[in-house]
Amino acid sequence: MPTPTSNGHASRVQIQESRIMSPLPPSSSPIAFKEQQGRPPPTTQQTLAGKFFRNLFKGLLFSQLTLISLLVIVLTIRGLISASTHHFHPKKWYPPLLASVAVSGVASLAWQCIFIYNPSRAVKATFWLSPILTCSVGILLVLIGSAVDAGIGAVFVLFAITQSLYGCWITPRFEYTDKILSLATAFPPARTREVVCLSIIVSVVYSGFLVTGIGGATSTRTNLDLLFISVIMISLAWTMQVLKNVQQVAISRARYVNFAHGEDMDAWNAFRITLKHLTGSICIGSTLVPIIVFIRGSIRSVNLMSGSSDEVMYSGADCFSTIANKLITLGNRWGFVHVGTYDKGFMEASSDTWKKFRSTTGLEKLIDSDLTSSFCFLSAVSVGAVSSLTAGIWMLLIHKDYALEVSLYAFIIGYFVGRVGLAWLQACVLAYYVAYSEDPQSMRFDGTIPNRIQRLQMLSAHRDNRELEVGREREEDSYNNC
C-alpha cells in the first residue's frame, strides 16, 4: 500500500507540480495538501441554510443514538425481568441471533479477502452465489411450516430468481467491471484495512447491542413493543448508512487525491477528519440517497415495462425519465467524493459531479450501467443470507416459534454489516470516475473508460439501426396489407 509523504517541503513541491499538470475547474480548488492533517477548506461560501441543515442532521444523529441507547437498555432490563412471566426464553432467543451477528462480521471480512485475492472471480461468484444463498433462506422459511413463513419464503425464492435473471442479463458487462474494479482498488490508501476493520467491528458491536433491545421488546409482544422494534430497526438502518458513508467519504477523498494529483493520503487520517468535520453532510446524503435511488429505480422499471409503441405509455415514460434525470442531480453517491474533497454541501456536490459526467461524452451512460453498486448490493445480500441461515437453522432446531423473526433480523443485520464492509471498494470506484471526469486526458488514466464508451456507442448505434429497420418492415407490411 502507498505510504504518505513524510517530508513536508518535498510534499509541497510535489503538490505544486501536480497542480500545474492537472488543472481543475475554476469553480473549485483541491484540498489544501499543505495541511493534510487539517480540515478540507470549503470551495464556496456556505449559506446559513446549508450550515443549519448540516448541524440539524448532525444533531439528529447523535440525539437518536442517545435515545435509542436508553431505549435499548430499558427494554433489555424489562425483558430479562419479565421473561419468566411471558414465556420468553432469553437463553434460546439471544444466542442464535447474536451468533449470526458475529458470523456477519466474519463473512464480511472473508469477502474482503476473496476480492483482494482474485477480483475477477469474486465478481462472478457474487452474481451466482447470492441467488443460491437467497433461495436457501427462502427454502428454510418454507420449512418452518406456517402459512406466513411459507409466504415470506416464497418472496425470498422469487427474489433469488430475479437475481439469477439479472445475472444472466448483465453477463456481457463482467469484463469491464473486472477492469474498473481492479484499476480503482489496485493500490488502496495506506491504513485502509484498519479503517475497514474498525468499521466492521463497530457495526457488529452496535448491531449486537440493538439485538438485546429487540429481544427485550419481543419478550412482552405488545403493540407498543412492535413500535419500539420498528424504531430500533429504522435507527439501525440509518446509522449503518451513515457509518458506511463516513467510510466512503474518507476512502474516496484519499483515493481521489491519488487519482487526480498523484499524491498519497493516509486513509486513517481522512477518516478522522471526516468524522470531525463532515458528519452533517454525510447524514443528509445518507437520508437522501436511499430515497432517490428507490424512486429512480422505480421509474426505470416503469420505463422498461412501457417499452411499447403506445403513445400514452411513451409520453408517460418520457415524463418519468425527466423526473429521474432531475432527481439524480439532487442526490447521488458520487457526490460523496466532493463532500470529502472540497467540503461541499451534499446537494451541491451531487449536482457538480453529475454535471461533470454529462460534460464528458458517453460518461453518464457508462456510469449509469456500472455494476459496482450491484456487486456491493449482492455481496451484502450474500452476507445477510449467510447470517440468516446461521440463525434460522439454529433456531429451527431449538425453538421453532422464533425461527421466522430471528432469521429476518439476522438477514437485515447481516446485509448492513456487509454494506459497511464493502464501502471502501465502492469509494475507490467513485473516486476513479470523478477524477476521470475532471481530467479525462490525464496520463494517470488508461484507455479502459474511453474504450468502453466507444463500445457502448457502437452498440447503441447498432440497436438504433435495428429498430429503424424493424419500423420500416412494419410500415411495409401494413402498406402491403392495405
Side-chain angles (χ1 to χ4, degrees):
M1 288 187 178
T3 54
T5 307
S6 57
N7 187 302
H9 176 71
S11 177
R12 285 193 289 270
V13 172
Q14 292 173 357
I15 292 154
Q16 291 173 357
E17 292 176 354
S18 65
R19 283 179 172 170
I20 295 173
M21 293 174 62
S22 303
L24 288 172
S27 60
S28 60
S29 58
I31 299 175
F33 295 109
K34 296 177 182 179
E35 300 181 30
Q36 284 192 359
Q37 304 297 324
R39 175 181 182 173
T43 59
T44 56
Q45 186 66 33
Q46 296 181 14
T47 63
L48 291 176
K51 290 181 179 179
F52 169 76
F53 280 108
R54 288 188 187 192
N55 292 330
L56 174 64
F57 274 82
K58 185 177 181 179
L60 284 174
L61 174 66
F62 292 109
S63 297
Q64 68 93 14
L65 286 175
T66 302
L67 294 175
I68 288 295
S69 298
L70 293 174
L71 176 63
V72 166
I73 292 171
V74 171
L75 290 176
T76 303
I77 295 174
R78 191 199 65 176
L80 293 175
I81 293 173
S82 61
S84 58
T85 59
H86 290 84
H87 306 289
F88 178 69
H89 305 282
K91 293 182 180 180
K92 294 182 178 179
W93 196 92
Y94 282 116
L97 189 51
L98 290 174
S100 70
V101 173
V103 167
S104 68
V106 174
S108 185
L109 289 171
W111 220 264
Q112 318 286 322
C113 298
I114 294 171
F115 176 82
I116 292 172
Y117 178 74
N118 195 323
S120 178
R121 289 188 178 180
V123 171
K124 294 176 182 177
T126 297
F127 283 93
W128 294 109
L129 189 60
S130 179
I132 295 173
L133 291 172
T134 305
C135 186
S136 300
V137 174
I139 294 172
L140 172 67
L141 296 180
V142 170
L143 291 176
I144 294 174
S146 70
V148 175
D149 299 332
I152 297 176
V155 172
F156 272 86
V157 172
L158 182 61
F159 181 38
I161 294 172
T162 304
Q163 292 178 50
S164 299
L165 294 175
Y166 177 72
C168 295
W169 180 51
I170 50 87
T171 298
R173 293 190 244 166
F174 282 167
E175 183 179 356
Y176 171 74
T177 303
D178 295 342
K179 289 182 179 179
I180 202 70
L181 283 170
S182 299
L183 287 171
T185 61
F187 301 100
R191 304 183 73 182
T192 296
R193 292 180 185 176
E194 296 175 26
V195 173
V196 174
C197 290
L198 175 65
S199 299
I200 293 175
I201 291 171
V202 170
S203 65
V204 168
V205 172
Y206 183 69
S207 299
F209 172 66
L210 294 188
V211 161
T212 62
I214 295 173
T218 303
S219 66
T220 52
R221 295 179 181 272
T222 64
N223 291 333
L224 187 59
D225 288 322
L226 294 177
L227 176 62
F228 288 152
I229 292 174
S230 300
V231 170
I232 290 174
M233 295 306 294
I234 292 171
S235 172
L236 170 71
W238 191 47
T239 305
M240 288 294 198
Q241 283 287 330
V242 172
L243 180 58
K244 172 178 77 74
N245 291 328
V246 165
Q247 186 187 162
Q248 203 158 259
V249 168
I251 301 297
S252 65
R253 177 190 178 188
R255 205 70 184 105
Y256 174 90
V257 168
N258 182 260
F259 288 138
H261 309 290
E263 291 291 322
D264 295 331
M265 189 173 189
D266 188 281
W268 186 264
N269 190 39
F271 187 70
R272 180 183 59 81
I273 295 168
T274 300
L275 281 174
K276 185 176 181 181
H277 299 293
L278 305 174
T279 306
S281 294
I282 293 171
C283 289
I284 294 174
S286 301
T287 306
L288 289 178
V289 169
I291 296 173
I292 291 175
V293 167
F294 175 77
I295 296 174
R296 192 163 180 260
S298 302
I299 290 174
R300 294 177 71 175
S301 300
V302 170
N303 290 346
L304 287 173
M305 290 186 292
S306 64
S308 63
S309 57
D310 185 86
E311 186 175 348
V312 176
M313 292 291 289
Y314 179 80
S315 61
D318 188 58
C319 177
F320 288 143
S321 296
T322 303
I323 296 173
N325 290 334
K326 179 63 177 177
L327 283 175
I328 196 67
T329 62
L330 299 178
N332 57 73
R333 65 179 66 90
W334 292 271
F336 285 119
V337 181
H338 274 199
V339 168
T341 306
Y342 301 118
D343 193 18
K344 293 180 180 179
F346 179 73
M347 295 182 70
E348 179 192 0
S350 298
S351 177
D352 289 349
T353 51
W354 205 258
K355 286 178 181 176
K356 274 293 178 184
F357 294 157
R358 286 177 174 171
S359 66
T360 304
T361 305
L363 186 58
E364 181 183 10
K365 186 175 181 180
L366 172 64
I367 287 174
D368 231 11
S369 64
D370 182 65
L371 293 180
T372 303
S373 59
S374 299
F375 168 70
C376 293
F377 171 75
L378 293 179
S379 296
V381 168
S382 300
V383 174
V386 170
S387 180
S388 181
L389 290 171
T390 302
I393 294 173
W394 188 341
M395 192 59 78
L396 194 62
L397 295 175
I398 64 172
H399 203 297
K400 195 174 181 180
D401 293 341
Y402 297 145
L404 174 62
E405 61 188 70
V406 168
S407 297
L408 293 179
Y409 292 145
F411 181 85
I412 294 170
I413 292 172
Y415 168 79
F416 283 116
V417 172
R419 290 309 300 259
V420 170
L422 289 166
W424 75 273
L425 187 152
Q426 191 164 28
C428 291
V429 176
L430 298 181
Y432 190 90
Y433 277 125
V434 173
Y436 177 85
S437 69
E438 293 181 355
D439 188 9
Q441 306 303 323
S442 173
M443 297 298 293
R444 297 187 182 92
F445 302 106
D446 62 9
T448 301
I449 291 180
N451 292 340
R452 182 60 180 173
I453 291 175
Q454 186 178 13
R455 173 67 176 167
L456 290 177
Q457 289 173 341
M458 290 174 59
L459 292 174
S460 179
H462 177 73
R463 185 165 51 249
D464 292 342
N465 291 335
R466 179 59 182 164
E467 290 176 356
L468 184 61
E469 290 176 2
V470 172
R472 287 175 179 174
E473 290 175 359
R474 287 178 178 175
E475 289 179 2
E476 291 175 359
D477 291 341
S478 61
Y479 178 78
N480 293 332
N481 291 333
C482 293

